[in-house]
Amino acid sequence: MRATVLHAPRDIRLDDVATPELRLGTDAIVRVVASCICGSDLWPYRGLNAQRDPFRIGHEFVGVVEQVGSDVSTIAPGDFVIAPFTFSDNTCLLCERGVHTSCVNGGIWGNPDQQGHDVDGGQGEIVRVPWADGTLVATPSQPSQEMVAQLLTLSDVFPTGHHAAVSAGVTPGSTVAVVGDGAVGLSAVLAAKRLGAGRIVAMSRHADRQAIARRFGAEEIVAERGTDGAAAVRDIFDGVGADFVLECVGTGDSMKQAMLSARPGGRIGYVGVPHDVELSVPQMFSRNIGLAGGVAPVRSYIEDLLPDVLDGTVTPGDVFDLAVPLDQVADGYRAMDERTAIKTMLTL
Ligand SMILES: [Zn+2]
C-alpha cells in the first residue's frame, strides 16, 4: 500500500510501504477514505522539529473498517469510523477523566505502540488502529461524500478548537477573542459560538479567513496584531478586554497578544502547539488571568460534537479550501506551507 513519508525537510513523498496486518486482538484495520494535513505537520515539514527521518506522517483520518481483532466488540467491519489524532483505550484512569491524550496505553500515529508494533501514519491508504474499541468512533450510517469532509474535522481540528473554548470556560452570552486564523482558530470561533458566546472577535488579516470566521459566528474582525491588536480587542469590549481568549497559534507573540486581549479576571484557553512561549506570571497575578488548555483530548469530545455535525447545525468542514488526491500530497503540503490553502484534505 502507499503512505506519505517525510524523508527530509520539504521532501515528502507517497511511498510503497508494508500493508498493515492485525497484530493484537484489540486492533482494527481501517481503509482510509479521507485524511488531511495539520498545521502541526508543517513543523517537521519545515525542518523546525528534531527530525528522525524518514518517518510516516499524518494523524487525522476517517475510513471504513476492514478487519477487527478477536477482542474488538463495539467496532465491526464495514463501519465508517472517525480516528482521533492519538489512539487510546478509553478505559484507563486518565481516559475516564477525559485526558485521552495521556492514556496509559495510548500512542501517536506513525510511532510504535507500547507493545512495540509499528503503527501507520494517517496520510496513507490503510492504517492498523490499536485499541480499536477505545480509539474509533463509528457513525450511525455511511456518510455522504460531502459529510465526509465535515466528519474528518472531528479527527482533530474542530475538537481542538472546542478544547480551547472549553478550557477557557466559555459561557453563554460571554465575550470571546480568538487569536489565530488558521483552521484551529476558525474552529475555535465555531466552537465558542456553539457554546453560546455572545460576541466573538476573530483576529485575522486575510480576507478569505475573515469570511469563514464571520460565517462561523465572529461578529467583528481585528486585523492588527500584537499590542495594537490587543488594544483593538480591548476597545471593542468596553476598554477592558474579552472575558475569554482562545489562543490558537502557539508562539510567544500570540500568547502575549492573548494575555493583553483578556480582561482582568478573564481566562485564556490555549491549544496552539507552543514554540518559545514564555508566560509573565506576575502579570497574570496582578490582572487575575487564568490559563488552561494543552494538547486536545479529542477522543473525549467526538461523541458530544458528532450529532451537531451530522445534522448540519455546524459545518466545521468549511475550513477545507483545498482537496487533492493522496498521490498529490506534496502539492497539498506546499499549498499549506505557502499559506495558499487554509487546510488541505487528501482524498482516496
Ligand atoms: Zn486510556
Side-chain angles (χ1 to χ4, degrees):
M1 70 124 177
R2 299 174 309 159
T4 304
V5 178
L6 183 63
H7 287 262
R10 291 193 163 78
D11 178 5
I12 200 147
R13 303 177 213 162
L14 194 64
D15 287 353
D16 283 313
V17 300
T19 300
E21 295 170 6
L22 295 172
R23 298 282 175 204
L24 301 164
T26 45
D27 289 348
I29 300 294
V30 172
R31 178 165 291 277
V32 177
V33 169
S35 180
C36 51
I37 301 171
C38 181
S40 67
D41 291 330
L42 295 179
W43 290 90
Y45 177 79
R46 291 169 174 162
L48 297 173
N49 283 1
Q51 174 100 10
R52 44 174 186 86
D53 46 354
F55 81 96
R56 299 275 292 278
I57 195 165
H59 54 259
E60 303 170 48
F61 64 97
V62 293
V64 174
V65 176
E66 289 201 327
Q67 279 179 279
V68 297
S70 53
D71 300 329
V72 174
S73 58
T74 62
I75 297 291
D79 284 352
F80 186 92
V81 288
I82 301 156
F85 73 74
T86 56
F87 53 85
S88 53
D89 60 15
N90 202 28
T91 54
C92 76
L93 181 83
L94 291 168
C95 283
E96 277 188 349
R97 281 155 180 73
V99 201
H100 293 69
T101 39
S102 296
C103 174
V104 301
N105 287 308
I108 301 170
W109 307 110
N111 291 274
D113 60 21
Q114 294 191 21
Q115 288 69 36
H117 301 295
D118 284 340
V119 179
D120 305 279
Q123 292 162 3
E125 291 178 324
I126 305 172
V127 176
R128 180 180 72 86
V129 175
W131 302 105
D133 282 334
T135 301
L136 299 170
V137 177
T139 57
S141 60
Q142 299 295 318
S144 66
Q145 201 176 338
E146 188 180 278
M147 182 55 69
V148 167
Q150 305 294 335
L151 295 169
L152 180 58
T153 66
L154 289 172
S155 190
D156 183 345
V157 63
F158 184 36
T160 294
H162 181 68
H163 187 55
V166 169
S167 298
V170 170
T171 50
S174 58
T175 59
V176 174
V178 178
V179 178
D181 64 356
V184 171
L186 296 170
S187 300
V189 170
L190 183 64
K193 185 71 180 176
R194 180 180 169 277
L195 292 172
R199 206 160 156 222
I200 302 169
V201 172
M203 305 182 86
S204 172
R205 293 193 295 189
H206 304 91
D208 54 339
R209 295 164 192 247
Q210 292 173 357
I212 297 174
R214 285 191 189 281
R215 206 185 315 154
F216 279 177
E219 244 178 65
E220 302 192 51
I221 304 288
V222 165
E224 296 91 340
R225 285 193 178 183
T227 51
D228 289 347
V233 170
R234 291 198 302 273
D235 281 348
I236 289 169
F237 295 128
D238 304 315
V240 296
D243 297 329
F244 304 106
V245 181
L246 313 184
E247 193 287 304
C248 304
V249 181
T251 63
D253 286 345
S254 64
M255 185 60 87
K256 198 176 291 175
Q257 191 172 317
M259 284 287 169
L260 295 173
S261 300
R263 68 160 167 80
R267 289 179 66 91
I268 297 169
Y270 77 108
V271 293
V273 181
H275 288 82
D276 300 321
V277 175
E278 283 178 16
L279 293 173
S280 170
V281 177
Q283 184 190 50
M284 294 168 69
F285 177 85
S286 62
R287 298 179 62 235
N288 270 284
I289 303 292
L291 178 76
V295 58
V298 160
R299 178 63 180 82
S300 71
Y301 296 130
I302 294 177
E303 278 134 334
D304 178 28
L305 299 172
L306 180 60
D308 283 2
V309 172
L310 285 173
D311 72 12
T313 302
V314 290
T315 56
D318 294 357
V319 296
F320 292 114
D321 57 348
L322 178 66
V324 298
L326 181 64
D327 57 15
Q328 292 169 28
V329 63
D331 296 332
Y333 270 86
R334 202 172 305 118
M336 280 183 64
D337 182 40
E338 294 168 358
R339 291 179 69 88
T340 55
I342 300 170
K343 193 166 176 71
T344 305
M345 181 162 76
L346 303 168
T347 56
L348 286 95

